Amino acid sequence: MKDGLWVHASCALWSSEVYEAQTGGLINNMEKARSRGSQLKCFGCGRPGASVGCFRANCSRNYHFPCAKACGALFTMDQQVFCELHKSSGIAVLPTESIEHMKSIMINDDKMISSDIEGKYCIRVGALTVHSLGEIEQHSNGFHSENYITPPGYVATRIYWSTQQVKTRTVYVLKVDKDKIGGPLFTITPGDDPSSTICAKKTEDAFATLVQRVEDMNHKYFSCGDLCSKLPVRRKQNKKTYGLNGPQFFGFGIDSVRRALECSKGIEAVVTPLDDSSLSYRFSFTQPDIESVMDLQRKRIAAAAENELENTSGSARTEGIKAIVKAGGSGRITRALVRNAPEQDEAPRDRKRTDAEERKAKADRDSLQQKYFLMKSVPLVERLAARRSHIHGWGLFSKIDLPKDSMIIEYMGEVVRQCVADRREANYEKVGIGSCYMFRLDMKRIVDATKIGCMARFMNHSCQSNAYAKVISVDTEGGVQEKKICVFSNRDIAAGEEITYDYKFPVEDGSLRCTCGAPNCIGRLN
């Protein structure tokens, strides 16, 4: 319960206020029963906390559940309890005397949410108490498998058979730590012998060692094959069909603990592989948001790409030829999107268009005009976002699903003449601006988005691009047609996918390395 409080399951379920919801199986009004019981003393043992009262009117007897059983109370199938004096009032008596609840019991508490469990509540399941769920490991493998999450920093305690005294239970402290090489280390520390800590790489090995120690301590209390002995015999088969296993002993295999772990911060790391040997966890209760998974994938791929080109020594002169090979060429990489004028599907100037061609051209212009104003009607931040990319630096990503031939964005910036663009590019290189964002509008004008522009300048190159650029003419408010550079999708683009474009660099001396990673990548931009 909240604030670290707890109640016996049977005492709670047989309290008059408590009821189980028809759907979901949540137990309601548990706090009311606990509050009332804390003010009442048990008729059997005389101690406070008695919440199981006689259902007969005007009867003041209240019990703890075990005390009610001991005093001869009657339990009915209608969840009613009658003391020994009023047994005759009860009907539909329970046919079994078992008090074990063979199911998970969940308390309905609106103030308790899964994301707030860690740090505020201890999860208690039978003899197991989880004190800390730890933190999901983000940078190394081994702390989760397909079936279990074993985060470092996990701390729990469990009551189990002692290895120091026969037929005695003790408390064990269960922890998950990191070993010297960063792998998982599972430890079991006995409360009655802290110096005999069990350490293992797997939960199964740690638990097997503990079980062996318990068996060695209680060896003389088994018959050991003597058929005439009164002592208990061992199981004849070793099939794993009964009892705890390693993950269950630590708590990872228990549903309530598994549910809490699946709600932990950074849980998307267990389904985002670090390398080919990484395993993906199979969720049982909740799944991480697809957007958070894709964000982590992009961060990891971007970090890996940057590490490939990292100058480890800090000095270019000490890197030698290796740095040039890594960079993919000796030329400086700029982000100039297009140097050549875009090809226009226009009819030859020396031939007059037919009526059918004129109608088709007009229909195309009207369609583009409609797409342009439709695109402008939706704010840019609601459709697109600039994020870290595994291809190069920052990239342009879609927030919404885009069908084929959708108008994605307009490439905007300062419109300058060719001579001005040449001087600017030279000046950008001189002052150390490593990237320039120039896009040719026509034979005389160039759009420079280096210092003034929009998100379109973050589009990365890909040898298998999902978008293309096209210069279109749209009617302005003054009735004058203006040329616009717009980017269209050449296939369906899903939300969260990076928008890429073929830069179409001309072949020059010193090739520029391509890091798009596409199946048909040629390894260079020009």
Side-chain angles (χ1 to χ4, degrees):
M1 298 180 66
K2 63 181 182 180
D3 300 328
L5 301 175
W6 59 273
V7 294
H8 290 113
S10 297
C11 289
L13 293 177
W14 284 98
S15 299
S16 58
E17 301 92 342
V18 177
Y19 67 94
E20 183 174 358
Q22 295 294 329
T23 58
L26 295 178
I27 307 301
N28 297 272
N29 291 343
M30 189 77 76
E31 175 59 28
K32 290 183 179 180
R34 189 207 63 80
S35 178
R36 180 179 63 86
S38 63
Q39 303 174 17
L40 300 175
K41 289 186 177 181
C42 178
F43 184 81
C45 66
R47 290 181 295 180
S51 61
V52 182
C54 179
F55 200 76
R56 179 68 178 267
N58 300 323
C59 182
S60 60
R61 293 191 177 187
N62 292 278
Y63 304 90
H64 300 108
F65 182 82
C67 296
K69 296 282 291 185
C71 293
L74 180 71
F75 297 85
T76 71
M77 299 180 66
D78 296 329
Q79 208 73 9
Q80 297 176 356
V81 181
F82 294 92
C83 66
E84 57 180 342
L85 298 178
H86 304 118
K87 281 186 176 182
S88 58
S89 301
I91 58 174
V93 181
L94 280 176
T96 176
E97 295 294 326
S98 175
I99 61 174
E100 294 294 333
H101 302 279
M102 305 304 292
K103 63 179 181 179
S104 298
I105 300 175
M106 299 297 295
I107 301 175
N108 184 13
D109 187 354
D110 295 336
K111 297 181 180 179
M112 179 177 178
I113 56 177
S114 299
S115 60
D116 290 339
I117 289 178
E118 175 64 15
K120 294 185 179 181
Y121 303 95
C122 288
I123 303 175
R124 181 173 179 178
V125 184
L128 175 75
T129 302
V130 180
H131 302 276
S132 174
L133 292 175
E135 296 182 359
I136 303 299
E137 178 59 33
Q138 303 287 326
H139 307 294
S140 61
N141 292 320
F143 289 93
H144 71 272
S145 63
E146 292 183 349
N147 301 317
Y148 304 110
I149 303 173
T150 57
Y154 177 91
V155 180
T157 55
R158 179 182 280 279
I159 300 174
Y160 196 66
W161 296 109
S162 173
T163 60
Q164 301 298 315
Q165 302 180 44
V166 297
K167 296 184 178 181
T168 304
R169 292 182 177 89
T170 187
V171 176
Y172 290 88
V173 180
L174 317 174
K175 292 184 178 181
V176 181
D177 297 315
K178 290 185 178 181
D179 58 16
K180 295 181 179 180
I181 60 174
L185 183 65
F186 301 94
T187 62
I188 302 177
T189 304
D192 55 356
D193 188 16
S195 60
S196 301
T197 300
I198 300 173
C199 300
K201 298 291 185 181
K202 297 181 179 180
T203 57
E204 294 84 354
D205 296 340
F207 182 59
T209 302
L210 175 62
V211 171
Q212 187 61 48
R213 291 183 182 182
V214 172
E215 289 182 353
D216 293 342
M217 174 56 59
N218 295 273
H219 177 73
K220 62 181 180 179
Y221 289 92
F222 287 89
S223 61
C224 300
D226 186 0
L227 299 179
C228 298
S229 174
K230 295 182 180 180
L231 297 176
V233 299
R234 296 180 182 274
R235 294 175 61 87
K236 293 183 178 180
Q237 55 185 359
N238 295 323
K239 291 183 179 180
K240 299 179 180 179
T241 57
Y242 180 77
L244 296 171
N245 57 25
Q248 290 173 344
F249 182 81
F250 275 80
F252 312 127
I254 298 176
D255 287 347
S256 55
V257 180
R258 191 197 300 264
R259 181 186 287 106
L261 288 171
E262 291 182 2
C263 296
S264 301
K265 183 179 180 181
I267 192 62
E268 57 271 6
V270 301
V271 290
T272 308
L274 286 167
D275 49 47
D276 295 337
S277 62
S278 300
L279 298 175
S280 293
Y281 174 73
R282 294 181 295 185
F283 285 84
S284 300
F285 300 98
T286 61
Q287 292 189 351
D289 181 63
I290 185 63
E291 184 67 22
S292 61
V293 175
M294 296 184 68
D295 283 342
L296 181 59
Q297 289 177 339
R298 285 190 288 266
K299 289 178 182 178
R300 287 182 173 179
I301 295 174
E306 290 179 358
N307 289 336
E308 287 292 327
L309 297 176
E310 183 180 5
N311 187 339
T312 55
S313 66
S315 173
R317 287 181 295 177
T318 61
E319 290 296 301
I321 192 64
K322 182 180 178 181
I324 299 178
V325 174
K326 277 187 175 183
S330 58
R332 188 180 184 88
I333 299 179
T334 64
R335 292 286 304 279
L337 291 180
V338 166
R339 303 297 178 87
N340 297 330
E343 298 178 358
Q344 300 292 325
D345 296 330
E346 297 180 352
R349 296 297 181 90
D350 57 351
R351 183 178 68 84
K352 186 177 180 179
R353 288 182 177 179
T354 63
D355 293 342
E357 290 175 341
E358 286 290 348
R359 288 193 298 270
K360 184 178 183 302
K362 185 178 184 305
D364 291 342
R365 287 195 302 269
D366 293 341
S367 176
L368 293 175
Q369 182 88 4
Q370 184 178 4
K371 287 183 178 180
Y372 180 80
F373 287 113
L374 180 61
M375 176 192 69
K376 288 292 186 179
S377 64
V378 182
L380 188 63
V381 294
E382 295 182 8
R383 298 182 286 109
L384 304 169
R387 300 169 184 159
R388 294 290 292 178
S389 170
H390 72 280
I391 298 178
H392 174 78
W394 292 84
L396 184 65
F397 293 82
S398 174
K399 288 185 175 181
I400 59 176
D401 294 333
L402 297 170
K404 184 179 179 181
D405 294 329
S406 296
M407 189 178 293
I408 303 173
I409 192 173
E410 177 188 358
Y411 194 90
M412 296 184 292
E414 294 182 273
V415 181
V416 297
R417 292 174 295 161
Q418 178 71 58
C419 58
V420 177
D422 293 340
R423 288 197 299 269
R424 285 190 177 186
E425 185 175 3
N427 185 57
Y428 292 154
E429 293 286 343
K430 184 177 179 180
V431 299
I433 299 178
S435 299
C436 64
Y437 305 83
M438 295 185 181
F439 202 126
R440 183 174 294 280
L441 183 62
D442 52 31
M443 296 302 296
K444 296 181 179 180
R445 296 179 298 169
I446 290 178
V447 177
D448 182 10
T450 304
K451 295 184 177 180
I452 300 177
C454 65
M455 291 185 196
R457 66 180 188 165
F458 293 119
M459 283 190 301
N460 279 317
H461 166 83
S462 175
C463 297
Q464 193 175 33
S465 59
N466 55 15
Y468 64 94
K470 184 177 181 180
V471 178
I472 66 173
S473 296
V474 297
D475 295 331
T476 61
E477 295 180 356
V480 181
Q481 283 197 344
E482 287 188 3
K483 289 185 177 181
K484 305 287 185 180
I485 302 173
C486 294
V487 179
F488 296 81
S489 57
N490 58 19
R491 62 171 175 81
D492 293 340
I493 299 177
E497 190 175 351
E498 182 174 3
I499 297 171
T500 57
Y501 168 78
D502 187 355
Y503 283 7
K504 298 181 180 178
F505 275 156
V507 178
E508 297 176 350
D509 294 336
S511 62
L512 302 177
R513 181 184 177 186
C514 177
T515 58
C516 70
N520 62 335
C521 180
I522 61 176
R524 55 184 175 82
L525 273 69
N526 57 350

